[in-house]
């Protein structure tokens, strides 16, 4: 039991381990913002994108 406790303490204190739950939350929140923005402004964003591509390809 002592050995397991030492390993757990060493893992918890490891600064290289990172903050996985924090990064998962950031990733989910970013995905949520993308979905929200796309739902609110999808048509306008598509139009801007298409106009930009047309200008690049010389069609407009």
């Amino acid at each position: 039991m002592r050995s397991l406790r030492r390993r757990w303490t060493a893992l918890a204190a490891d600064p290289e381990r990172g903050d996985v739950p924090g990064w998962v939350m950031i990733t989910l929140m970013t995905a949520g913002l993308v979905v929200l923005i796309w739902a609110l402004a999808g048509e306008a964003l598509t139009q801007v994108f298409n106009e930009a591509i047309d200008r690049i390809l010389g069609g407009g």
Side-chain angles (χ1 to χ4, degrees):
M1 186 69 163
R2 242 184 230 170
S3 176
L4 182 60
R5 191 172 296 169
R6 280 187 202 146
R7 287 182 189 168
W8 179 257
T9 305
L11 263 177
D14 185 7
E16 296 295 319
R17 195 154 174 256
D19 182 20
V20 174
W23 284 110
V24 170
M25 181 62 75
I26 288 171
T27 302
L28 290 174
M29 290 174 64
T30 302
L33 283 172
V34 168
V35 169
L36 179 67
I37 290 169
W38 194 261
L40 294 175
E43 289 182 34
L45 291 171
T46 302
Q47 183 179 358
V48 167
F49 176 78
N50 288 333
E51 288 177 9
I53 294 298
D54 284 344
R55 285 186 182 179
I56 290 171
L57 297 177

